[in-house]
Amino acid sequence: MDDRTYTADAAPGGTVTVAGWVHEIRDLGGIAFVILRDTTGRIQVKFEKEEMDDDLVETGLGLSRESVVSVTGDVEEEPRAPTGVEITPESVEVLSAADTELPLDPTGKVDAELPTRLDNRTLDLRREAGQAIFSIRGEILRAVREAFREANATEINTSKIVATGTEGGTELFPITYFGREAFMNQSPQLFKQLAAGSNLERVFETGPIFRAEEHNTPRHLNEATSIDFEGAFCDDDDAMEICESIVVAAYEGVAENCADELEALGIDEEFTVPERPFPRLSYEETIERINALGVLDDQLVWGDDLPTEGETALGADVGRHYFITDWPAEVKPFYIMDHDDDEALSTGFDLMHPRMELVSGGQREHRYEKLIEGLEAQGLDPEAFEYYTRAFRYGMPPHAGWAIGGERLIMTMLELDNIREAVLFPRDRQRLSP
Ligand code: AMO
């Protein structure tokens, strides 16, 4: 529509054509208003019943909410209108009439349950808050891309169909690949390492990861967006520094470019960019601090996973993003390097938000023999990983990296209760469509 004007740009004194959705109809008797909404805002369209053509009035007042219309008319100043201007229509064209019964109220005045909202996502995202989340999601991706470029990392895209899993602990989704067994990738882990070992050195990817998690929680998805980094000649400390800079860049981008969206979400006043550096606690200090908080029935001992209650209590105590470093080697995947002076300790780290884990990473084992030993120690067949390990025989530099859970970053940044709010069409135990 070449001659279309956005509602936000409709200035008094001209004739414009605006197009959008019927947000609301207010019939006051002799006069009626249709509030038309587009991506930039809303505008009032005035119908004076006595003074206008009957057909026009009939079309205007017969509109059902959420119908898509195009309105041509003069724009005039009107201090009582929500945006200070209104349109007196010359013509109203109905481009797509909406059913009179809607499954949810897109003005947001009436709350709907999350499953109803997800089943009707197009309608749901016409709410300002929904639109705000996805504008911010786009801004986060833009900001992290720019920050990665500043860190000399090249954007890559890796295959999502793979022959082996990498992340022990979560299950794989099997698929059939021309009669052979294959899987949906749990992580670009091995590919990003192979790319970092090439002359590219530093790479990043934002893409889907597939996890056949059995549990259904407000913080797990079966398909999530992973923001991955891998850098040659980086150790775990370098990787943590880059990780902090990317997280901070995401917050800064949102602070700078999404003021209206933060307001729509009602979090503009408390929104703050986290300060660097983030505190670092070793795994040992972490379990001691959780034990001292006295929130668990049983004291944690070396090698235990951190239970959610413990993580939550420690998060509240620390009150900001923090790293947990030096995890026991046995709880980290085979590709994570152990400390040379203590093989029970790994270089693996997690970045925590007070509410949950956001990132896992570490320095990688780049020595061929040690890598094979690590695979065997975790009960994996080195033969199955030959496509990956072979590169380690042809000059693999020391390297390190990490992955941020994209939706968890959005969820924690925007104080969302459920991770599904941060995904257009979430995949979980129940949900395969839309
Ligand atoms: P990990 O398995 O810890 O590490 O995943 C990295 C981050 O991804 C997010 N995440 C998820 N988010 C939502 N739903 C899920 N089911 C889910 N699973 C993971 C979390 C998590 O911290 N290859 C390593 C990373 C690396 O070492 O570079 C990996 O995948 O925020």
Side-chain angles (χ1 to χ4, degrees), residues 167 187 189 192 211 213 221 335 357-358 360 364 402:
E167 312 302 319
S187 154
Q189 182 63 39
K192 67 177 176 172
R211 308 264 170 133
E213 315 263 6
L221 294 162
Y335 51 78
E357 177 199 312
L358 282 188
S360 290
R364 320 306 189 180
W402 42 259

Side-chain angles (χ1 to χ4, degrees), residues 64 98-104 123:
S64 51
D99 283 3
T100 45
E101 292 234 351
L102 300 174
L104 57 86
L123 201 53

